[in-house]
């Protein structure tokens, strides 16, 4: 377990940099921190759309959406999601949205 | 140009796939690809393939521990440079094969390998016990119920004579998986070593909401033993799960999905032995391996209980089975009740299937043989 400081705010994260308390500690400041570590240049409306879609789905269902569902709700094909989040929908977008770290045989 | 962490996509190369295997073929194999006439095993661990053109390819197979250092790989490369024009290959059971096109080079290669003590044991061909397909264990995985490299070393030490000889009725494939994810081949091996748990998961209510997608943990359970629940943490109500211990069979799938549900336990965890699986279609159809020993303790570093059960099965099979008969074919021919009797393995209720399609595995015939076990039962 570690603590990350960014712009005067601190976040509890695991060794891969995912928020341990999820939505409780998530804010715009966290997004700007992850932007730096995930190699994302400018934050666009498209990034926001993906993050909003993830958070909305998680709030409603308690799980992260399957990749096909994320593509369908945002209208972005997987290729575009990788262009927006170079580490991919799991390690990149879910981390930025404050969702739990993906589990299973990944 | 080196990697620039501030600009990770710059100069990034991707989707190249593996190197094409033809770039690495020894010349005699490249020249005779698709033209092989026949092959012979000229000694344990040594094969010769003869091509239509008369070309010969000698192959020397040596055991490897699979988990190896760069130094070990460099030593393999030195041997390949010296005797095999720099070519070698790994088999699907993680043995190493050195290939040459002439008998003299093959003999020199064998002498060289034998000169390096037992670091490169020659064998693993024909009716032998070749390498054990195994997994990560305590070296690298987070869900294991036993170790992989340790038991593999202990079992292969004990059965070493069978690696360098071909005295069994047929080949015996041994595999190990350190949990019932069964990475590798345990579900279809002659003898399988499988890590199992015997206690339900512990639930960390204080972490679960943050790190776990609760519906995934619930649907991960094959028996519906995980249910959503609420719990109090520091006077606050949190969403969590509860596990019906009566329904739980300790598979650990929920821990795979949810880090707040660990279940590894030094006393509860151990090894189950399964036998009788095969993947080839020769003579009989492929078979799954079946549970014969439900639990053996984890006793590092040498796992003596596991080693002795496996030795016993191999020795009885070796004496009793017919030529070409795999362990599963032998057990089915003599009847599983006879298998338990001959191998001196006590039959327990744990071997009786009770999962969904269990009915088909029970005996729906009066055909059976009296054994010591039925004898003890009928005299009660």
């Amino acid at each position: 377990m570690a603590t990350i400081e960014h712009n005067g705010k601190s976040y509890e994260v695991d060794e891969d940099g995912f928020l341990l308390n999820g939505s409780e500690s998530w804010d715009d400041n966290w997004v700007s921190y992850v932007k730096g570590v995930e190699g994302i240049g400018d934050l666009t409306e498209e990034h926001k759309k993906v993050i909003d879609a993830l958070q909305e789905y998680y709030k409603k269902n308690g799980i992260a959406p399957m990749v096909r569902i994320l593509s369908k709700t945002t209208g972005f094909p997987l290729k575009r999601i990788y262009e927006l989040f170079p580490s991919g929908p799991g390690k990149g977008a879910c981390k930025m949205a404050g969702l739990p770290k993906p589990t299973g045989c990944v | 140009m080196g990697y620039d962490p501030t600009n990770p996509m710059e100069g990034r190369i991707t989707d190249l796939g593996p190197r094409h295997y033809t770039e690495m073929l020894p010349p005699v194999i490249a020249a005779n690809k698709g033209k092989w006439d026949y092959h012979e095993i000229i000694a344990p661990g040594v094969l010769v393939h003869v091509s239509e053109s008369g070309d010969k390819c000698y192959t020397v197979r040596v055991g490897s521990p699979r988990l190896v250092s760069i130094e070990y790989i460099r030593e393999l490369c030195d041997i390949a440079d010296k005797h095999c024009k720099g070519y070698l290959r790994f088999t699907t059971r993680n043995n190493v094969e050195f290939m040459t096109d002439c008998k003299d080079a093959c003999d020199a290669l064998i002498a060289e390998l034998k000169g390096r003590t037992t670091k490169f044991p020659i064998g693993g061909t024909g009716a032998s016990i070749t390498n054990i397909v195994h997994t990560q264990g305590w070296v690298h995985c987070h869900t294991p119920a036993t170790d992989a490299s340790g038991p593999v070393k202990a079992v292969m030490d004990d059965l070493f004579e069978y690696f360098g000889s071909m005295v069994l009725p047929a080949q015996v494939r041994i595999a190990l998986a350190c949990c019932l994810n069964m990475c590798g081949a345990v579900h279809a091996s002659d003898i399988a070593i499988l890590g199992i748990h015997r206690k339900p998961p512990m639930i960390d209510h204080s972490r679960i909401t943050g790190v776990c997608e609760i519906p995934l943990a619930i649907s991960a359970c094959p028996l519906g033993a995980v249910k959503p629940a609420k719990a109090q943490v520091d006077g606050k109500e949190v969403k969590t799960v509860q596990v019906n211990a009566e329904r739980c069979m300790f598979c650990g799938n929920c821990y795979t999905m949810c880090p707040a549900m660990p279940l590894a336990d030094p006393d509860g965890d151990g090894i189950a032995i399964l036998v009788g699986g095969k993947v080839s279609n020769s003579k009989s159809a492929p078979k799954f391996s079946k549970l014969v020993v439900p639990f053996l303790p984890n006793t590092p570093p040498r796992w003596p209980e596991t080693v002795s059960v496996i030795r016993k099965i191999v020795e009885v099979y070796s004496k009793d089975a017919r030529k070409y008969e795999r362990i599963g074919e032998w057990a089915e021919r003599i009847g599983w009740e006879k298998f338990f009797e001959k191998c001196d393995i006590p039959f327990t209720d744990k071997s009786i299937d009770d999962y969904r399609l269990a009915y088909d595995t029970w005996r729906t015939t009066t055909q059976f043989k009296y054994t010591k076990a039925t004898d003890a039962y009928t005299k009660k």
Side-chain angles (χ1 to χ4, degrees):
Chain A
M1 209 185 293
T3 309
I4 278 174
E5 301 276 343
H6 187 67
N7 292 343
K9 204 164 172 259
S10 63
Y11 301 89
E12 292 279 299
V13 297
D14 66 10
E15 69 278 11
D16 294 313
F18 279 78
L19 283 179
L20 280 174
N21 304 316
S23 53
E24 268 178 48
S25 44
W26 183 89
D27 56 15
D28 283 339
N29 188 38
W30 173 254
V31 173
S32 80
Y33 163 73
V34 176
K35 183 169 99 86
V37 294
E38 288 296 320
I40 296 163
D42 291 319
L43 212 61
T44 63
E45 282 305 311
E46 288 181 307
H47 288 100
K48 291 214 176 72
K49 195 171 171 188
V50 173
I51 291 171
D52 288 346
L54 286 172
Q55 290 184 334
E56 195 180 317
Y57 191 93
Y58 185 74
K59 217 168 155 188
K60 196 168 153 214
N61 300 294
I63 58 172
M66 277 156 274
V67 170
R68 280 160 170 251
I69 293 175
L70 183 65
S71 287
K72 210 167 175 184
T73 51
T74 57
F76 301 144
L78 188 57
K79 192 165 175 285
R80 181 75 192 131
I81 293 175
Y82 269 93
E83 284 162 12
L84 297 168
F85 299 93
S87 314
K91 200 177 158 292
C94 281
K95 184 195 274 188
M96 198 178 240
L99 267 54
K101 181 161 66 182
T103 53
C105 299
V106 277
Chain B
M1 188 185 70
Y3 173 70
D4 175 10
T6 59
N7 197 356
M9 302 303 276
E10 184 66 35
R12 180 165 171 267
I13 298 166
T14 179
D15 297 319
L16 299 174
R19 296 282 294 270
H20 199 268
Y21 67 95
T22 51
E23 293 170 33
M24 290 156 275
L25 291 180
V28 62
I29 292 189
N32 295 287
K33 187 167 165 286
K35 294 178 212 151
W36 298 105
D37 198 8
Y38 66 93
H39 75 275
E40 278 177 68
I41 303 174
I42 49 180
V46 187
L47 302 120
V48 58
H49 286 75
V50 182
S51 136
E52 288 164 359
S53 66
D55 283 354
K56 287 182 177 176
C57 175
Y58 295 88
T59 302
V60 181
R61 184 177 298 170
V62 300
S64 100
R66 190 181 73 91
L67 193 68
V68 298
S69 66
I70 292 279
E71 281 83 2
Y72 176 94
I73 292 172
R74 290 202 171 120
E75 198 173 338
L76 292 179
C77 294
D78 289 342
I79 296 167
D81 282 339
K82 198 164 157 191
H83 298 281
C84 311
K85 305 190 173 104
Y87 294 95
L88 64 82
R89 70 183 287 268
F90 279 78
T91 69
T92 54
R93 298 190 80 86
N94 305 300
N95 291 307
V96 186
E97 287 187 350
F98 296 102
M99 291 143 294
T100 81
D101 52 5
C102 84
K103 187 83 177 70
D104 292 343
C106 175
D107 291 341
L109 170 64
I110 291 169
E112 165 103 38
L113 292 165
K114 284 186 174 159
R116 295 180 187 232
T117 67
T118 54
K119 197 167 185 182
F120 302 105
I122 299 169
T125 53
S128 66
I129 295 182
T130 182
N131 218 346
I132 300 183
V133 168
H134 64 281
T135 55
Q136 303 193 48
W138 298 331
V139 170
H140 196 68
C141 190
H142 70 298
T143 65
T146 187
D147 191 24
S149 296
V152 163
K153 167 73 171 148
V155 170
M156 281 314 280
D157 275 352
D158 187 61
L159 300 175
F160 190 61
E161 71 212 66
Y162 292 106
F163 181 79
S165 64
M166 302 190 290
V167 296
L168 294 166
Q171 71 268 42
V172 171
R173 299 287 185 245
I174 305 181
L176 178 149
C178 45
C179 82
L180 40 66
N181 261 5
M182 298 194 173
C183 302
V186 291
H187 65 297
S189 290
D190 292 285
I191 301 177
I193 309 164
L194 179 65
I196 53 149
H197 303 285
R198 292 187 303 166
K199 294 187 182 175
M202 297 160 278
I203 303 163
D204 186 348
H205 297 302
S206 62
R207 285 176 68 223
I208 195 164
T209 325
V211 299
C212 179
E213 298 168 58
I214 286 170
L216 294 187
I218 294 165
S219 59
C221 184
L223 294 174
V226 183
K227 280 196 310 191
K230 300 248 195 279
Q232 296 286 327
V233 175
D234 301 331
K236 247 178 35 184
E237 192 175 68
V238 296
K239 277 191 200 167
T240 180
V241 295
Q242 78 185 44
V243 174
N244 180 350
E246 291 286 300
R247 297 210 73 153
C248 178
M249 60 172 176
F250 332 119
C251 68
N253 279 353
C254 52
Y255 177 59
T256 301
M257 298 316 292
C258 173
M261 299 177 75
L263 77 165
D265 176 89
D267 301 317
D269 295 355
I271 281 171
I273 304 287
L274 296 83
V275 306
K278 70 194 267 286
V279 289
S280 85
N281 283 286
S282 106
K283 300 191 301 302
S284 64
K287 298 178 202 299
F288 284 130
S289 22
K290 294 176 167 48
L291 179 81
V292 295
V293 181
F295 180 77
L296 296 164
N298 269 332
T299 40
R302 302 297 298 175
W303 279 268
E305 299 86 355
T306 300
V307 166
S308 75
V309 167
I310 291 174
R311 173 145 208 116
K312 180 87 187 176
I313 294 169
V314 168
E315 282 180 352
V316 173
Y317 156 76
S318 167
K319 262 196 238 114
D320 201 66
R322 293 176 185 160
K323 194 164 168 60
Y324 304 125
E325 211 168 41
R326 299 285 291 267
I327 288 186
E329 294 166 333
W330 165 64
E332 284 179 8
R333 176 172 61 80
I334 64 173
W336 282 97
E337 65 269 36
K338 279 288 182 192
F339 170 88
F340 279 91
E341 185 177 60
K342 281 176 195 262
C343 292
D344 205 17
I345 295 171
F347 183 83
T348 69
D349 59 335
K350 302 287 188 291
S351 283
I352 303 172
D353 197 349
D354 56 2
Y355 185 71
R356 290 186 184 186
L357 305 174
Y359 181 83
D360 288 351
T361 66
W362 303 339
R363 193 186 300 269
T364 50
T365 167
T366 54
Q367 295 188 0
F368 74 102
K369 295 178 191 107
Y370 283 100
T371 62
K372 275 184 283 183
T374 46
D375 199 37
Y377 182 76
T378 48
K379 273 178 188 156
K380 256 184 207 168

